[in-house]
Amino acid sequence: MVDELKYHNDELIQEMVDMFEKVLFPTDFSKYSQKVLECVRELPGVNEVVLLHVIGPADPLARVWDPGGRIDESKVNLIEESKILSSRGLSVKTRTEAIMEGDIARVIQKVADEEKSSVIVMGARGKSVVEGIFLGNVAKNVLRYGNTNILLMRYKILEGRSGPSLEQFCSHPFSRILCPTDLSKPAEEAIAFIKRTKGVGEILLQHVVYRGETWREIEAQTEETTRKLNVIRDELEEAGIKVKIHTSVGNPAEEIISLAEKENVSLIAMSSHGTGWLKQLGVGSTTYDVAKMGDRPVLVIRARAECTT
């Protein structure tokens, strides 16, 4: 069911508006990471940034673990990176975490919880860039198992391939947003957040029909979907936002990625889950596949459990 995008829960609305107020930015000091950091300054409403570097054991087989020198080096590097943000008047806090074993992604989520960060912003890949790997292990695990909103920045030019440049979208990250929707309650919340975000130029609403026994069934679904998208479009246009709607048939992730490239969007914004999601999973399969395989930044808005009941 598609409800009108009107919410009477003031706390939820404020949470949406303030998503970028306190950003956690994990950095590995790679060129990729430093380039993405430049984009953080342009996020709407950003006020405070926590710069985090996680140090793992240099040699997993080493009997003695002494990260002292690496911690000192990390602190120096964090100070240098903080200057990029403080020059824009942003409040910056730096943290270095050292772990002897375990998953770096868990440390990132722990720090996000401790700092009460509203969103984690990170590059899709870091130092360990291996051809054929579309999403780095750390980013993948934060996406799949975390519970904080996450913005994954990805630009092909940083990965040695032709494609959209960092500079092309960095100054206007919300200029042209693709909002895929399965018309579920979590998807409605994601659209509601985008609606209230400053600097939104245009929204592309997309629904992908992926089930149907016959073409007649598919056509009927397409017609019904288009009707529902038109309702959402009318409400967004009343708020002064330019909107286009797209209904396609096929694999959801593939269709979303294809439309993003065709329409040259600056960002894909979608809920972490949709219809029929499993509560024990941190992110749904379609969202994960789009973040993994696409070449555009992806904003994943974490769905609240009560939205699915």
Side-chain angles (χ1 to χ4, degrees):
M1 296 290 293
V2 176
D3 297 329
E4 291 188 352
L5 297 177
K6 294 178 180 178
Y7 292 85
H8 302 288
N9 188 329
D10 292 338
E11 183 177 353
L12 172 59
I13 292 175
Q14 190 62 37
E15 179 182 335
M16 289 178 172
V17 172
D18 294 342
M19 177 180 286
F20 295 106
E21 183 176 2
K22 189 170 185 179
V23 173
L24 173 62
F25 184 80
T27 175
D28 59 8
F29 306 125
S30 65
K31 181 179 179 180
Y32 192 115
S33 182
Q34 291 176 14
K35 284 290 186 180
V36 172
L37 180 61
E38 296 174 8
C39 289
V40 172
R41 302 178 301 182
E42 310 299 335
L43 295 175
V46 61
N47 181 52
E48 181 179 354
V49 179
V50 178
L51 292 178
L52 168 68
H53 180 64
V54 182
I55 298 173
D59 182 0
L61 300 179
R63 294 186 178 183
V64 178
W65 187 62
D66 183 11
R70 296 171 65 195
I71 291 176
D72 292 339
E73 181 182 1
S74 171
K75 291 180 178 180
V76 171
N77 289 333
L78 285 173
I79 290 174
E80 288 301 311
E81 289 200 348
S82 69
K83 294 177 181 178
I84 298 175
L85 301 173
S86 58
S87 64
R88 288 292 186 93
L90 300 179
S91 173
V92 184
K93 179 179 180 179
T94 62
R95 288 187 58 166
T96 297
E97 299 288 326
I99 57 172
M100 184 173 176
E101 59 182 4
D103 187 357
I104 292 177
R106 292 183 182 275
V107 179
I108 292 173
Q109 184 58 61
K110 178 181 75 72
V111 173
D113 293 338
E114 292 174 353
E115 297 289 344
K116 295 180 173 56
S117 300
S118 48
V119 64
I120 299 171
V121 180
M122 59 191 304
R125 289 159 69 175
K127 287 183 177 179
S128 300
V129 177
V130 179
E131 189 65 31
I133 296 179
F134 296 94
L135 191 63
N137 283 333
V138 175
K140 177 183 69 177
N141 289 338
V142 174
L143 172 66
R144 295 186 70 176
Y145 306 117
N147 53 43
T148 302
N149 302 313
I150 180 171
L151 174 57
L152 289 171
M153 307 297 283
R154 154 168 271 144
Y155 298 89
K156 281 186 175 180
I157 193 171
L158 295 179
E159 301 175 9
R161 301 196 297 268
S162 60
S165 68
L166 181 72
E167 293 77 11
Q168 182 178 352
F169 297 129
C170 200
S171 58
H172 303 285
F174 284 79
S175 60
R176 189 170 172 81
I177 308 172
L178 173 59
C179 291
T181 175
D182 61 0
L183 304 173
S184 63
K185 195 68 176 180
E188 287 184 26
E189 282 199 356
I191 295 172
F193 164 72
I194 296 302
K195 176 183 178 182
R196 294 179 174 90
T197 300
K198 296 180 180 179
V200 174
E202 181 177 8
I203 292 177
L204 285 73
L205 292 173
Q206 180 186 24
H207 178 79
V208 182
V209 177
Y210 64 96
R211 287 185 293 190
E213 295 294 331
T214 65
W215 277 110
R216 180 171 294 181
E217 289 184 12
I218 293 174
E219 289 175 358
Q221 288 188 55
T222 300
E223 291 178 2
E224 179 65 10
T225 293
T226 301
R227 183 188 68 78
K228 293 177 178 179
L229 290 180
N230 280 328
V231 172
I232 300 174
R233 179 186 63 187
D234 291 345
E235 294 186 11
L236 291 172
E237 289 183 339
E238 286 181 4
I241 302 172
K242 182 180 179 181
V243 183
K244 292 172 62 176
I245 64 172
H246 296 266
T247 302
S248 51
V249 179
N251 177 279
E254 292 177 358
E255 292 296 321
I256 292 168
I257 292 171
S258 176
L259 183 62
E261 294 183 1
K262 179 181 178 182
E263 294 288 340
N264 198 29
V265 302
S266 59
L267 176 74
I268 301 173
M270 56 197 305
S271 173
S272 59
H273 297 87
T275 303
W277 67 285
L278 300 177
K279 293 183 180 180
Q280 65 268 30
L281 297 179
V283 68
S285 59
T286 297
T287 302
Y288 175 73
D289 287 344
V290 170
K292 177 183 177 182
M293 303 299 295
D295 68 354
R296 308 288 158 141
V298 178
L299 173 62
V300 178
I301 302 167
R302 300 291 185 181
R304 299 176 303 141
E306 57 265 34
C307 288
T308 64
T309 58

